[in-house]
Amino acid sequence: MAENIIFVGKLIHTPSLGTLEIEDATVGVHQSKIVFLAKSVTDETIHLAKSHHMLKNAKVQILKPSQFFFPGFIDTHIHAPQYPNAGFGIDVPLLKWLEKYTFPLESSFRNLDKALEIYYRIVTRTLAYGTTFASYFSSLHAPASALLAELCFLFGQRAYIGKCNMNTLSPPHYCEKSSESSIEATNVLVSFMSQLDPERKIVSPIVTPRFAPSCTKDLLQSCGKFAATHGLPIQTHVSENPGEIALVREMFPDRKSYTDVYDHYNLLTPKTILAHGVYLEDEEIETIYKRQSGISHCPTSNAVLASGMANVRKLLNAGVKVSLGTDVSGGYTPNMLVAIRQAALTSRSLASVLKDPRIILELPELLYLATQGGAEVLGRGREVGSFEEGKDWDALVIDVSSQNNSPIDIYEHDSWEHILSKWVFNGDDRNIAQVWVNGKLIAGTECKIEDISPVSLNLASLYMDTAISTEKKSLRLREILESFTKTKLLPVTQCVNDGKVHAKPWKHTDENEDYRKTNSVERKRFLRST
């Protein structure tokens, strides 16, 4: 359970686009919520926080002079099963890259032991980099997607998780048989995740048509209907590459544009995340704005795959919601700091090409895209992304001191604006001292053994043991998960044993709302007992 804590120290965030606030602050957190926030660190302010009726027994954590609070990073587009490919694939463009590298790897996620190992690595790695909320594409396999959801829930990382819907223009060994089978598998995954996290506060399902060319018209229509029926978010790709756009035009000749394909099938909603948007026409941008959908700008993968340079300024000026995604493994790292840096360089390069300095994205804007902007695109802007009373405490403690072999050199004359910029452009995971999600300390260099759940510790020790054979590692993985999932509400170990998700198809009714609330209580009782 989340603690009651009063945090005292330097606080940096971007509550709105272009607004950078650097303040001394005292923040009171009751369980997971910010219930007190004052821009002062005096003894009187701390005493005032302690007198708050929800913080009377709260402990006080005072930051070191070299530390500051920053909102957790929000990665709005990342392919979890592609993580082993991160760092190579620069030799071919997008469509050939999918055929040569992506589909062969993703198809291997029929093997759930392999899925467990890779998903363990990507979740722990992104947390180490300070990603507190990620929108993950999984493979098309519902059992593997269920395992990813289980691991995110175990470690406490907020996540949207969607199994890919794809029933055409894919390799025979990695393609769903029909739109009906694709939606049925999605429905079972939604049911599983609704049992895992009934309130969908940490993990939530997301409808994931991979991209228009991989879906028949009836599957696109079914995805739009399914998302609307269950009130789910949607994620997909749009206008990433000229070859891809030409393919969409060939496959959907009756539609005006790539964006119009999604709009026609009711896939553009206020909960829709569109990755890339490099070549959007003015009419497409206007449609996305009217539907209140969001763009996930993925500058690293756009550069690696030579896809192009998205004009983020044009999107922002049109009122479109924009965020940042690492797009692993098109992007070579799940580090959101790298995505910020690449977004800065992309905007400057494009400004030079188009001879328009207004295109340049400044640091406060870049940081907004990686935090509050991401929360807005995910439809969670009132809950996370910045520091305000009533929001959840999803925060990083950044340490820029010379300890931990920090890559940052700070000098006496450096202002806090300079220090912030140095961290963004020179820092890495060594500077992330603490990672807080939903009021809980779950990662970071200062995260102690007593702060980590037994399941997480067991998993970590397993992967650090290089001497153990693959077969024994597989058996030990199952034992570890079984130690956590000995409940009918969490059938994930059965997925490992027989490759199926044991959950009845989810039907959204008033009865289900009561079911979710009841199971939430049962879930909390179970967690307290383990």
Side-chain angles (χ1 to χ4, degrees):
M1 182 178 291
E3 299 180 83
N4 295 336
I5 306 178
I6 296 170
F7 296 97
V8 182
K10 189 70 67 178
L11 183 149
I12 302 177
H13 69 154
T14 51
S16 61
L17 182 66
T19 301
L20 175 64
E21 294 186 359
I22 303 176
E23 305 278 357
D24 290 325
T26 300
V27 184
V29 177
H30 172 66
Q31 295 182 1
S32 66
K33 298 288 185 184
I34 299 174
V35 297
F36 178 93
L37 198 160
K39 294 178 180 179
S40 168
V41 293
T42 63
D43 291 339
E44 290 79 8
T45 305
I46 297 172
H47 178 74
L48 181 63
K50 287 182 176 180
S51 67
H52 190 285
H53 69 283
M54 292 184 181
L55 301 171
K56 293 188 181 298
N57 298 317
K59 66 179 184 180
V60 178
Q61 177 176 326
I62 300 176
L63 294 192
K64 302 171 186 177
S66 61
Q67 295 180 330
F68 62 90
F69 295 111
F70 191 78
F73 289 128
I74 299 176
D75 186 345
T76 56
H77 185 66
I78 177 171
H79 294 264
Q82 294 180 22
Y83 181 55
N85 286 352
F88 64 82
I90 198 171
D91 55 321
V92 290
L94 174 65
L95 297 180
K96 291 184 178 179
W97 173 80
L98 287 171
E99 181 180 350
K100 182 176 181 179
Y101 295 114
T102 300
F103 291 152
L105 175 61
E106 288 191 11
S107 65
S108 70
F109 277 65
R110 295 186 303 272
N111 182 330
L112 292 173
D113 295 324
K114 180 174 183 176
L116 272 169
E117 178 173 4
I118 293 171
Y119 284 159
Y120 166 80
R121 290 176 183 267
I122 187 62
V123 172
T124 54
R125 179 67 70 183
T126 51
L127 281 173
Y129 281 140
T131 298
T132 55
F133 201 154
S135 189
Y136 287 116
F137 275 60
S138 181
S139 64
L140 62 73
H141 310 99
S145 304
L147 292 177
L148 176 58
E150 178 71 13
L151 287 171
C152 288
F153 192 86
L154 283 173
F155 284 99
Q157 183 183 56
R158 294 189 199 273
Y160 284 172
I161 295 168
K163 66 158 253 42
C164 281
N165 301 106
M166 44 190 290
N167 69 336
T168 188
L169 222 65
S170 303
H173 64 279
Y174 190 55
C175 187
E176 295 174 296
K177 295 180 180 179
S178 65
S179 61
E180 291 80 11
S181 64
S182 180
I183 293 300
E184 181 182 359
T186 301
N187 198 10
V188 173
L189 178 63
V190 171
S191 177
F192 174 85
M193 293 183 67
S194 297
Q195 295 174 45
L196 178 65
D197 187 358
E199 297 177 358
R200 296 179 183 167
K201 190 171 182 64
I202 300 299
V203 294
S204 171
I206 182 169
V207 178
T208 308
R210 186 180 198 105
F211 68 148
S214 68
C215 301
T216 57
K217 295 177 180 179
D218 59 336
L219 179 54
L220 290 172
Q221 186 173 30
S222 296
C223 285
K225 183 179 179 180
F226 186 85
T229 300
H230 299 292
L232 292 173
I234 300 166
Q235 62 181 353
T236 190
H237 301 79
V238 71
S239 297
E240 179 180 357
N241 175 284
E244 168 204 15
I245 296 170
L247 180 60
V248 171
R249 191 178 297 115
E250 179 183 338
M251 293 180 65
F252 301 90
D254 54 332
R255 303 271 46 101
K256 293 184 293 184
S257 66
Y258 200 157
T259 299
D260 187 49
V261 172
Y262 293 135
D263 194 35
H264 178 74
Y265 293 107
N266 300 311
L267 290 165
L268 296 186
T269 77
K271 295 181 179 180
T272 296
I273 309 159
L274 298 165
H276 303 292
V278 178
Y279 297 98
L280 294 170
E281 300 289 344
D282 291 348
E283 186 176 354
E284 293 181 275
I285 294 174
E286 179 66 18
T287 298
I288 292 169
Y289 168 72
K290 287 181 178 178
R291 300 294 181 262
Q292 299 179 49
S293 301
I295 297 290
S296 178
H297 177 42
C298 304
T300 311
S301 70
N302 292 160
V304 168
L305 297 175
S307 296
M309 296 183 287
N311 191 336
V312 172
R313 179 65 67 200
K314 184 176 183 179
L315 296 170
L316 293 173
N317 287 346
V320 174
K321 298 180 292 186
V322 183
S323 58
L324 281 181
T326 60
D327 195 21
V328 164
S329 68
Y332 57 83
T333 173
N335 187 346
M336 281 291 287
L337 282 176
V338 173
I340 294 172
R341 296 164 193 165
Q342 190 63 43
L345 299 179
T346 296
S347 72
R348 290 174 177 274
S349 296
L350 191 60
S352 176
V353 170
L354 299 180
K355 296 180 171 53
D356 185 354
R358 294 172 297 179
I359 291 174
I360 293 174
L361 298 173
E362 303 297 344
L363 185 59
E365 296 173 310
L366 295 162
L367 294 175
Y368 173 85
L369 298 183
T371 54
Q372 185 63 38
E376 298 293 344
V377 167
L378 296 185
R380 305 285 284 272
R382 294 183 179 181
E383 301 170 46
V384 296
S386 60
F387 301 120
E388 299 175 27
E389 285 191 37
K391 284 194 170 185
D392 290 325
W393 182 248
D394 284 17
L396 310 178
V397 174
I398 306 301
D399 194 335
V400 295
S401 69
S402 58
Q403 297 178 0
N404 297 323
N405 193 29
S406 171
I408 304 172
D409 290 314
I410 303 299
Y411 297 90
E412 191 173 328
H413 63 269
D414 283 332
S415 66
W416 270 104
E417 287 83 358
H418 294 157
I419 292 171
L420 177 65
S421 184
K422 284 188 172 185
W423 167 60
V424 169
F425 289 99
N426 295 310
D428 58 26
D429 53 314
R430 288 170 288 182
N431 301 113
I432 299 180
Q434 298 175 20
V435 179
W436 294 79
V437 179
N438 204 38
K440 298 178 183 177
L441 176 61
I442 61 172
T445 60
E446 291 184 359
C447 189
K448 301 175 183 177
I449 290 179
E450 56 264 31
D451 297 320
I452 303 174
S453 73
V455 177
S456 301
L457 280 175
N458 286 334
L459 286 170
S461 63
L462 176 65
Y463 283 107
M464 287 188 292
D465 188 351
T466 57
I468 188 172
S469 67
T470 302
E471 292 76 13
K472 288 184 178 180
K473 181 180 288 187
S474 175
L475 291 172
R476 183 67 184 125
L477 271 171
R478 298 180 186 189
E479 291 173 359
I480 291 170
L481 287 177
E482 285 170 359
S483 72
F484 182 80
T485 60
K486 288 180 179 177
T487 168
K488 294 179 181 179
L489 297 182
L490 296 175
V492 70
T493 50
Q494 296 180 38
C495 299
V496 180
N497 290 332
D498 63 15
K500 297 179 181 179
V501 176
H502 292 261
K504 295 180 181 179
W506 181 254
K507 294 181 180 180
H508 189 82
T509 66
D510 291 338
E511 292 179 2
N512 282 333
E513 296 301 324
D514 295 334
Y515 167 82
R516 285 168 59 179
K517 292 176 182 177
T518 301
N519 279 350
S520 178
V521 174
E522 294 177 4
R523 172 82 184 176
K524 290 174 182 176
R525 288 174 181 166
F526 171 71
L527 288 173
R528 285 197 293 268
S529 69
T530 57

